[in-house]
Short mmCIF file of all heavy atoms in Angstrom, two decimals:
data_model
loop_
_atom_site.label_atom_id
_atom_site.label_comp_id
_atom_site.label_asym_id
_atom_site.label_seq_id
_atom_site.Cartn_x
_atom_site.Cartn_y
_atom_site.Cartn_z
N ARG A 71 149.06 233.59 251.83
CA ARG A 71 150.13 234.05 252.64
C ARG A 71 150.87 232.85 253.29
O ARG A 71 152.03 232.93 253.56
CB ARG A 71 149.65 234.96 253.72
CG ARG A 71 149.12 236.29 253.17
CD ARG A 71 149.06 237.38 254.14
NE ARG A 71 148.56 238.60 253.59
CZ ARG A 71 149.28 239.42 252.82
NH1 ARG A 71 150.52 239.13 252.57
NH2 ARG A 71 148.71 240.48 252.28
N SER A 72 150.15 231.75 253.53
CA SER A 72 150.77 230.55 254.15
C SER A 72 149.92 229.35 253.85
O SER A 72 148.75 229.43 253.52
CB SER A 72 150.83 230.80 255.68
OG SER A 72 149.57 230.77 256.23
N GLU A 73 150.53 228.20 253.92
CA GLU A 73 149.83 226.95 253.80
C GLU A 73 148.82 226.79 254.92
O GLU A 73 147.75 226.24 254.72
CB GLU A 73 150.83 225.76 253.75
CG GLU A 73 150.18 224.48 253.30
CD GLU A 73 151.17 223.41 253.03
OE1 GLU A 73 152.35 223.65 252.87
OE2 GLU A 73 150.68 222.25 252.89
N LYS A 74 149.11 227.32 256.10
CA LYS A 74 148.18 227.29 257.18
C LYS A 74 146.89 227.98 256.84
O LYS A 74 145.80 227.49 257.13
CB LYS A 74 148.81 227.94 258.45
CG LYS A 74 147.94 227.89 259.61
CD LYS A 74 148.62 228.59 260.82
CE LYS A 74 147.60 228.66 262.00
NZ LYS A 74 148.10 229.49 263.11
N SER A 75 146.94 229.20 256.25
CA SER A 75 145.74 229.87 255.92
C SER A 75 144.94 229.14 254.79
O SER A 75 143.68 229.13 254.85
CB SER A 75 146.00 231.37 255.50
OG SER A 75 146.93 231.37 254.36
N LEU A 76 145.63 228.50 253.91
CA LEU A 76 144.89 227.68 252.87
C LEU A 76 144.24 226.51 253.56
O LEU A 76 143.04 226.26 253.25
CB LEU A 76 145.95 227.17 251.86
CG LEU A 76 145.44 226.17 250.84
CD1 LEU A 76 144.27 226.76 250.01
CD2 LEU A 76 146.60 225.70 249.91
N LYS A 77 144.82 225.87 254.49
CA LYS A 77 144.24 224.78 255.19
C LYS A 77 143.02 225.22 256.04
O LYS A 77 142.10 224.47 256.18
CB LYS A 77 145.29 223.96 256.01
CG LYS A 77 146.23 223.21 255.10
CD LYS A 77 147.21 222.44 255.84
CE LYS A 77 148.07 221.64 254.86
NZ LYS A 77 149.10 220.86 255.51
N GLU A 78 143.11 226.37 256.55
CA GLU A 78 141.98 226.95 257.30
C GLU A 78 140.76 227.13 256.37
O GLU A 78 139.63 226.88 256.71
CB GLU A 78 142.31 228.25 257.94
CG GLU A 78 143.20 228.16 259.20
CD GLU A 78 142.48 227.43 260.32
OE1 GLU A 78 141.28 227.67 260.54
OE2 GLU A 78 143.15 226.61 260.98
N PHE A 79 141.02 227.56 255.15
CA PHE A 79 139.99 227.66 254.14
C PHE A 79 139.36 226.34 253.86
O PHE A 79 138.12 226.21 253.75
CB PHE A 79 140.53 228.29 252.84
CG PHE A 79 139.54 228.34 251.75
CD1 PHE A 79 138.44 229.18 251.78
CD2 PHE A 79 139.73 227.45 250.62
CE1 PHE A 79 137.51 229.17 250.73
CE2 PHE A 79 138.77 227.48 249.58
CZ PHE A 79 137.70 228.34 249.63
N PHE A 80 140.16 225.28 253.80
CA PHE A 80 139.64 223.92 253.56
C PHE A 80 138.69 223.48 254.65
O PHE A 80 137.73 222.72 254.42
CB PHE A 80 140.79 222.90 253.51
CG PHE A 80 141.67 223.02 252.27
CD1 PHE A 80 142.97 222.53 252.35
CD2 PHE A 80 141.24 223.62 251.11
CE1 PHE A 80 143.78 222.56 251.24
CE2 PHE A 80 142.07 223.71 250.03
CZ PHE A 80 143.38 223.19 250.07
N ARG A 81 138.90 223.94 255.87
CA ARG A 81 138.03 223.61 257.01
C ARG A 81 136.76 224.52 257.09
O ARG A 81 135.90 224.23 257.94
CB ARG A 81 138.84 223.72 258.32
CG ARG A 81 139.88 222.60 258.46
CD ARG A 81 140.47 222.59 259.85
NE ARG A 81 141.60 223.48 260.05
CZ ARG A 81 142.82 223.26 259.64
NH1 ARG A 81 143.14 222.15 259.06
NH2 ARG A 81 143.78 224.11 259.85
N GLY A 82 136.72 225.54 256.27
CA GLY A 82 135.60 226.49 256.37
C GLY A 82 134.36 226.00 255.68
O GLY A 82 134.27 225.06 254.94
N LYS A 83 133.29 226.81 255.96
CA LYS A 83 131.93 226.52 255.47
C LYS A 83 131.88 226.43 253.92
O LYS A 83 131.25 225.54 253.37
CB LYS A 83 130.94 227.54 255.95
CG LYS A 83 129.55 227.29 255.57
CD LYS A 83 128.61 228.37 256.18
CE LYS A 83 127.17 228.09 255.77
NZ LYS A 83 126.27 229.07 256.32
#
Side-chain angles (χ1 to χ4, degrees):
R71 293 201 181 280
S72 67
E73 192 168 346
K74 180 182 176 190
S75 58
L76 173 60
K77 288 181 178 180
E78 285 295 319
F79 174 70
F80 293 156
R81 289 189 275 279
K83 184 178 178 180

